[in-house]
């Protein structure tokens, strides 16, 4: 009888498998992965760190090595693959595919770099290098907008990049991150650093007095949301422990680079602020989530944390430095926590909020780098000192990341409530010669676009909403009469379409559809307005909700210019 046949009245025999489902384990690949990872932890939250180790070593991620990693970490292959494929900085190579060349050039295509000529440089590099030896790809904002255009050759950034300077970087074969001159522990302590932290630990400063100080100073979250710092701490303290402290150092908003500025210069002032916040909420540990585009800062923070450990200020491992992998969405606090747990960075539905159920399901305090940076300074100089710095009825100081058509771009510490006109004239050296102000982005890609006629509005939280804009992380991109508004809008929507996590349909489909509509010679204003409303009403997180802002603000503030350019038809 044939093996597949059965006797009458009996069910057919099932075929048996000769091997398990899915990709087979390559024992040589497993041995290689074990050698590379050594005694690294196999906990799920270490998945992205382990993926970075493989990516850094090979220059890509192969399927046999991913399968070996899933075996080592006792994770489903589907979970490993889903996480690896989510992040832009991981290169997945399937069987039969050719690995990328050893050298990858990433050319920033965000708005500040586009204004500075990155598109032309990208085309020149594509034409001028051997594709078998060098790969040229586009990349979103690298947090160096004041030095635009930017190119990254492996792990080294080339500022004010040109075709020639990028090729020179390749010829020199020096791809390590640039060395940063930072203030080390002894120098910071000599000027009074860690005095406040010591006072907190010794009982000289109470949590209640510190909360009162922060409330009186008016310090708010400086990552973009602007939530009062003291109130966020109170919410987390009200929850039962254990609690965690998470630092958002993933400033991916195009036009934003203030956190990099402070981390490069005074990392210990930031770390003291972080440790004070952890003390205030009795945190079990601190997790710093640093964007992957800052390799030099990753090195200096490791050294600074090591200094704290060797000096006995913290137990080894109390501060965990984790590395992002190229995902703007991880600037959203719940997506960031998902990423810290070794998963794709997709925002969570709320409630519960992360203050109630955050990292590892525990109450979590999430603060931005600059917010924590100011805490020791405010305590030293007093709440009134900080609060009295504002202009036009506003309170505090703001670190404005200014780029675009100004003579002196950079991080400018200025009073909250300063106007764009004042900021440009007093801090930025005026506009570039031959340029006239056309408009500006007050809060990076998501904050909308305001015209030159609105350059005298105080720049701060709560002052721009009536204009359909917001300040966010205070990333100011200045536009001039030599810039094309249509191309500006297309650049910003292309960024959002590329960075959407894809979890919700309004954002995933809406950003792509809006970008497609912007590519038409004439814009369909009713359709764009309707689409924008759906995205704002139904998207899960701020990315999809804010993505239409560049377009809606152009309709609101630049209608005459759009009609004159025949981009929209006068109704």
């Amino acid at each position: 009888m044939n093996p597949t046949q059965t006797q009458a009245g009996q069910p057919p025999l099932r075929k048996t498998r000769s091997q398990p489902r899915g990709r087979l384990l390559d024992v040589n690949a497993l041995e290689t992965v074990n050698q590379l990872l050594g005694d690294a932890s196999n906990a799920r939250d270490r998945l992205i760190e382990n993926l970075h180790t493989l990516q850094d070593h090979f220059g890509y991620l192969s399927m046999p090595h991913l399968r070996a990693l899933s075996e080592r970490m006792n994770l489903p292959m589907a979970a490993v693959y889903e996480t690896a494929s989510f992040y832009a900085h991981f290169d997945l190579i399937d069987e039969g595919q050719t690995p990328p060349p050893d050298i990858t050039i990433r050319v920033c295509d965000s708005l500040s770099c586009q204004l500075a000529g990155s598109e032309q440089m990208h085309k020149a590099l594509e034409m001028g290098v051997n594709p078998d030896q060098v790969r040229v790809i586009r990349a979103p904002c690298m947090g160096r907008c004041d030095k635009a255009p930017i190119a990254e050759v492996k792990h080294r950034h080339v500022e004010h990049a040109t075709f020639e300077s990028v090729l020179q970087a390749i010829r020199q074969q020096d791809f390590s991150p640039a060395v940063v001159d930072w203030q080390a522990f002894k120098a910071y302590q000599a000027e009074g650093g860690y005095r406040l932290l010591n006072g907190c630990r010794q009982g000289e400063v109470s949590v209640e007095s510190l909360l009162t100080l922060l409330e009186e100073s008016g310090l708010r979250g400086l990552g973009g949301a602007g939530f009062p710092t003291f109130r966020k701490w109170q919410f987390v303290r009200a929850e039962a422990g254990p609690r965690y402290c998470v630092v958002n150092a993933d400033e991916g908003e195009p036009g934003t680079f203030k956190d990099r500025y402070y981390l490069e210069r005074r990392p210990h002032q930031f770390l003291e602020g972080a440790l004070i916040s952890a003390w205030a909420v009795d945190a079990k540990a601190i997790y710093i989530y640093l964007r992957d585009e800052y390799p030099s800062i990753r090195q200096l923070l490791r050294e600074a944390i090591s200094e704290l450990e060797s000096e006995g200020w913290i137990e080894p491992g109390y501060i965990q430095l984790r590395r992002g992998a190229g995902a703007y969405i991880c600037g959203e606090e719940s997506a960031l926590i998902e990423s810290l747990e070794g998963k794709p960075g997709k925002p969570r539905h709320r409630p519960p909020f992360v203050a109630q159920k955050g990292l590892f399901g525990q109450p979590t305090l999430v603060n931005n780098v600059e917010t924590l940076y100011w805490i020791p300074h405010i305590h030293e100089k007093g709440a009134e000192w900080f609060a009295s710095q504002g202009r036009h009825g506003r309170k505090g100081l703001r670190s404005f990341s200014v780029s675009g058509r100004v003579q002196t771009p950079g991080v400018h510490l200025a009073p909250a409530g300063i106007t764009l006109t004042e900021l440009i004239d007093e801090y930025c050296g005026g506009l570039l010669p031959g340029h006239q102000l056309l408009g500006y982005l007050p809060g990076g890609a998501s904050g909308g676009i305001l015209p030159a006629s609105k350059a005298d509005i105080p720049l701060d939280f709560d002052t721009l909403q009536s204009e359909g804009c917001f300040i966010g992380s205070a990333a100011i991109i200045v536009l001039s009469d030599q810039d094309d508004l249509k191309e500006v809008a297309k650049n910003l929507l292309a960024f959002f379409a590329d960075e959407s996590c894809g979890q919700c349909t309004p954002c995933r489909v809406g950003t792509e559809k809006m970008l497609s509509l912007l590519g038409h010679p004439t814009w369909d204003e009713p359709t764009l307005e309707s689409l924008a409303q759906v995205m704002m009403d139904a998207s899960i997180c701020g990315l999809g909700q804010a993505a239409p802002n560049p377009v809606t603000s152009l309709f609101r503030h630049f209608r005459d210019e759009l009609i004159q350019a025949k981009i929209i038809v006068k109704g």
Side-chain angles (χ1 to χ4, degrees):
M1 182 172 63
N2 188 295
T4 61
Q5 295 177 337
T6 62
Q7 295 180 356
Q10 294 183 352
L13 298 174
R14 291 184 60 187
K15 291 184 178 180
T16 58
R17 301 183 189 278
S18 60
Q19 59 191 31
R21 286 182 182 270
R23 297 178 183 273
L24 295 180
L25 176 65
D26 184 327
V27 293
N28 293 325
L30 179 60
E31 182 179 355
T32 300
V33 167
N34 284 332
Q35 288 176 350
L36 286 173
L37 296 183
D39 59 358
S41 171
N42 292 322
R44 172 63 189 264
D45 64 281
R46 299 291 303 187
L47 174 57
I48 293 175
E49 293 294 310
N50 290 344
L51 288 169
H52 273 303
T53 300
L54 301 183
Q55 172 77 34
D56 289 345
H57 180 80
F58 295 107
Y60 59 92
L61 299 174
S62 71
M63 292 303 134
H65 289 135
L66 289 184
R67 175 65 184 87
L69 183 62
S70 74
E71 177 74 14
R72 174 190 162 107
M73 298 187 69
N74 194 29
L75 291 173
M77 176 62 175
V80 175
Y81 184 87
E82 181 189 24
T83 300
S85 61
F86 182 84
Y87 296 93
H89 290 186
F90 294 138
D91 291 307
L92 273 65
I93 302 300
D94 210 337
E95 295 172 11
Q97 288 184 316
T98 302
D102 182 55
I103 297 175
T104 293
I105 301 172
R106 288 182 165 86
V107 178
C108 179
D109 65 358
S110 288
L111 182 57
S112 299
C113 284
Q114 177 178 289
L115 298 178
S118 64
E119 180 67 27
Q120 294 83 350
M121 181 178 62
H122 184 274
K123 291 179 180 178
L125 287 169
E126 283 189 320
M127 296 289 292
V129 300
N130 183 342
D132 294 330
Q133 299 175 344
V134 178
R135 177 177 60 159
V136 182
I137 61 176
R138 299 178 184 274
C141 185
M142 299 181 189
R144 291 167 172 79
C145 316
D146 54 331
K147 309 293 184 184
I150 297 294
E152 184 185 32
V153 184
K154 297 189 82 169
H155 292 296
R156 191 173 190 89
H157 291 90
V158 181
E159 298 177 341
H160 299 300
T162 64
F163 174 75
E164 292 76 16
S165 65
V166 173
L167 292 187
Q168 179 65 19
I170 295 174
R171 286 193 290 267
Q172 290 176 344
Q173 293 290 300
D174 182 10
F175 305 127
S176 58
V179 177
V180 176
D181 184 17
W182 55 282
Q183 186 183 40
F185 174 80
K186 292 296 185 183
Y188 179 65
Q189 190 179 41
E191 64 178 38
Y194 290 107
R195 185 183 302 159
L196 173 56
L197 177 62
N198 186 61
C200 293
R201 291 177 171 178
Q202 297 301 319
E204 299 168 6
V205 179
S206 67
V207 175
E208 290 72 21
S209 66
L210 189 57
L211 287 170
T212 299
L213 177 78
L214 296 180
E215 181 179 8
E216 292 176 349
S217 72
L219 182 65
R220 300 172 67 167
L222 297 172
F227 195 80
T229 302
F230 83 94
R231 196 174 302 281
K232 183 181 285 190
W233 289 17
Q234 288 177 331
F235 286 157
V236 176
R237 282 173 52 82
E239 299 293 326
R243 310 179 189 94
Y244 288 94
C245 181
V246 166
V247 179
N248 186 346
D250 191 61
E251 56 172 358
E253 181 77 26
T256 308
F257 46 93
K258 62 182 180 62
D259 290 350
R260 175 183 61 82
Y261 177 87
Y262 289 119
L263 287 171
E264 286 181 341
R265 288 157 177 79
R266 297 177 64 83
H268 277 288
Q269 183 170 330
F270 150 70
L271 288 171
E272 183 178 11
L275 286 166
I276 290 166
S277 70
W279 164 82
V281 300
D282 191 23
K284 183 178 180 180
I286 297 173
Y287 283 75
I288 302 174
Y289 188 89
L290 180 69
R291 66 183 312 206
D292 197 32
E293 289 84 351
Y294 291 167
S296 59
I297 296 176
R298 187 166 65 252
Q299 290 183 359
L300 74 85
L301 279 179
R302 282 175 178 163
E303 293 181 40
I305 293 168
S306 178
E307 287 181 321
L308 288 175
E309 292 175 346
S310 62
E311 294 288 337
W313 282 83
I314 58 173
E315 292 293 327
Y318 181 74
I319 298 180
Q320 292 284 322
L321 179 60
R322 295 296 175 87
R323 181 177 172 186
Y328 166 71
I329 190 63
C330 290
E332 196 275 341
E333 62 180 8
S334 66
L336 183 154
I337 287 174
E338 287 287 296
S339 188
L340 280 175
E341 293 179 352
K343 306 169 190 173
K346 297 180 180 180
R348 296 175 178 176
H349 292 271
R350 290 171 289 187
F353 297 94
V354 298
Q356 302 165 308
K357 190 174 182 181
L359 186 64
F360 308 131
Q362 298 300 319
T364 302
L365 174 66
V366 182
N367 280 134
N368 168 259
V369 167
E370 192 196 354
T371 306
L372 300 172
Y373 172 88
W374 280 113
I375 292 171
H377 220 46
I378 291 173
H379 185 268
E380 176 188 359
K381 291 182 175 283
E384 178 60 25
W385 165 82
F386 187 80
S388 65
Q389 298 293 320
R391 289 188 189 177
H392 306 295
R394 310 305 298 176
K395 292 183 177 182
L397 292 166
R398 295 289 176 268
S399 300
F400 293 95
S401 305
V402 185
S403 60
R405 307 305 192 178
V406 296
Q407 296 203 52
T408 311
V411 175
H412 298 291
L413 184 62
I418 193 172
T419 68
L420 180 76
T421 299
E422 294 168 339
L423 185 64
I424 292 176
D425 291 344
E426 298 176 31
Y427 292 85
C428 302
L431 294 172
L432 291 173
H435 290 255
Q436 291 186 348
L437 182 65
L438 173 64
Y440 63 105
L441 284 69
S446 59
I449 308 172
L450 288 170
S453 61
K454 304 285 185 180
D456 292 322
I457 299 176
L459 295 172
D460 197 14
F461 300 113
D462 312 320
T463 62
L464 303 174
Q465 280 87 335
S466 61
E467 304 294 340
C469 297
F470 58 83
I471 193 171
S473 58
I476 310 291
I477 304 177
V478 179
L479 306 174
S480 81
D481 57 346
Q482 298 186 26
D483 297 319
D484 185 333
L485 290 173
K486 184 175 183 179
E487 291 304 313
V488 168
K490 286 169 60 178
N491 177 282
L492 299 175
L493 261 296
F495 169 78
F496 288 121
D498 188 58
E499 294 293 338
S500 172
C501 76
Q503 180 178 192
C504 68
T505 302
C507 178
R508 181 184 68 250
V509 177
T511 51
E512 291 285 358
K513 182 62 176 178
M514 185 167 283
L515 178 60
S516 173
L517 292 171
L518 295 183
H520 295 176
T522 302
W523 289 355
D524 183 346
E525 184 178 2
T527 299
L528 284 166
E529 290 277 18
S530 176
L531 179 59
Q533 194 62 53
V534 171
M535 293 170 65
M536 290 186 287
D537 290 343
S539 295
I540 289 175
C541 81
L543 191 154
Q545 295 162 10
N549 284 348
V551 177
T552 56
S553 58
L554 287 185
F555 287 150
R556 181 172 185 169
H557 298 294
F558 294 88
R559 176 168 297 278
D560 291 342
E561 289 86 347
L562 296 178
I563 291 173
Q564 185 177 359
K566 298 182 179 179
I567 297 173
I568 62 175
V569 178
K570 187 174 182 179

